[in-house]
Amino acid sequence: MWLAFLLTLFAGLATGIGSLMILFTSKTNKKILSFSLGLSAGVMIYVSFVEILQKSIESLSIVYGEKLGNIYAICGFFAGIALIALIDKFIPKVGNPHEIHLIEEIGEQNNQKELMRIGIFTALAIALHNFPEGLATFIATIEDPSMGIAITVAIAIHNIPEGIAVAIPIYYASNSRKKAFKYSFLSGLSEPIGALIGYFLFIQFFGDSAFGFIFAAVAGIMVYISLDELLPAAKEYGEHHISICGLIIGMIIMAISLLLFI
């Protein structure tokens, strides 16, 4: 449990790395960021289909039999996609390169009130988005530490641009590196908090059936994040082929790491 909490905390606090990148470097290396986002998407997609969804099917098949186990796993997978899609719809999140560019333009116009509003709203939106991610990392680590570490690395990379999205408007609004870092840091704390709340709410229900449904939903959430957020952002930050190279290398890394633990 302590390992699960520490990994979830690390993944959440990667938003702080994003804020440091933008506040203490003169220029963000967009090609490296594009490659990293593609890498994260590759890790998430591969581990979701090859490992997490398969574990879901195994757990649910023990309880409900092979056919029903597969059906329930598939339903859980798409339920996870539906959940994160609804969160995305009702709590939109600033963070893609075009939006960040617009925020920088507002900053040059020195509209402090508008920038602070954008920064705080973005921090709250990211905090809410991080709840299911935190639970996914936490539960995966408890069930399989090697898989949890892989998910942690992928989500940590994915959280770096979120830190940038929070830090830029608040820095322009307040001209304070400390305040920009603080808000970015706090938005990432929702990940371990969400993990602990979810764990203690559902701990009494844990078993093969609960783990099966949670893993299926986690797989769906991670695939949605990869396709809806990571790959589009990776393409916009850099060249298309750079993000695809990152995607493939992420899959290769994940495949090798899973083989090592067989």
Side-chain angles (χ1 to χ4, degrees):
M1 183 173 170
W2 278 108
L3 175 64
F5 177 75
L6 289 172
L7 289 177
T8 308
L9 181 66
F10 170 78
L13 297 186
T15 54
I17 297 172
S19 65
L20 290 174
M21 283 176 63
I22 203 67
L23 295 173
F24 295 101
T25 57
S26 57
K27 188 177 180 182
T28 302
N29 191 319
K30 292 184 177 179
K31 287 187 177 181
I32 291 176
L33 195 54
S34 175
F35 177 83
S36 298
L37 289 168
L39 185 85
S40 178
V43 169
M44 283 191 176
I45 291 170
Y46 190 91
V47 77
S48 293
F49 285 118
V50 175
E51 185 76 359
I52 300 177
L53 191 57
Q54 295 308 310
K55 281 187 177 292
S56 168
I57 291 170
E58 288 173 15
S59 295
L60 292 171
S61 294
I62 291 170
V63 181
Y64 301 104
E66 188 174 348
K67 186 174 181 179
L68 271 179
N70 274 270
I71 291 171
Y72 288 150
I74 291 167
C75 290
F77 176 82
F78 287 107
I81 289 177
L83 172 65
I84 196 68
L86 284 171
I87 292 173
D88 228 20
K89 179 177 175 61
F90 293 107
I91 311 168
K93 185 170 64 176
V94 177
N96 70 53
H98 291 319
E99 289 170 320
I100 288 173
H101 180 67
L102 290 173
I103 290 167
E104 288 172 333
E105 287 183 353
I106 295 171
E108 289 167 2
Q109 296 165 11
N110 202 28
N111 189 339
Q112 293 184 337
K113 186 177 179 181
E114 176 64 11
L115 282 166
M116 186 59 74
R117 187 193 69 79
I118 291 172
I120 292 172
F121 178 79
T122 302
L124 289 172
I126 286 171
L128 290 169
H129 275 256
N130 283 351
F131 263 72
E133 293 174 14
L135 183 59
T137 308
F138 193 86
I139 298 299
T141 305
I142 286 176
E143 179 68 10
D144 185 345
S146 62
M147 183 170 63
I149 290 169
I151 293 172
T152 298
V153 172
I155 289 179
I157 294 170
H158 149 256
N159 282 347
I160 289 172
E162 295 182 353
I164 294 173
V166 174
I168 285 178
I170 291 175
Y171 176 64
Y172 273 111
S174 64
N175 199 30
S176 168
R177 286 186 170 91
K178 185 178 179 181
K179 187 173 285 189
F181 178 76
K182 182 177 75 173
Y183 277 94
S184 176
F185 180 86
L186 289 174
S187 69
L189 282 180
S190 67
E191 208 145 294
I193 291 170
L196 289 176
I197 291 172
Y199 178 75
F200 286 113
L201 280 176
F202 300 114
I203 188 171
Q204 58 184 322
F205 303 109
F206 280 2
D208 287 328
S209 181
F211 270 118
F213 281 113
I214 289 171
F215 275 138
V218 164
I221 288 168
M222 290 178 65
V223 169
Y224 181 92
I225 289 169
S226 299
L227 299 179
D228 184 66
E229 294 181 20
L230 297 183
L231 288 178
K235 185 178 178 181
E236 290 183 35
Y237 272 116
E239 298 172 15
H240 172 70
H241 291 293
I242 291 175
S243 60
I244 295 301
C245 282
L247 175 81
I248 293 167
I249 290 172
M251 289 184 172
I252 291 170
I253 291 170
M254 195 66 251
I256 292 170
S257 68
L258 290 175
L259 285 172
L260 290 175
F261 287 99
I262 290 178

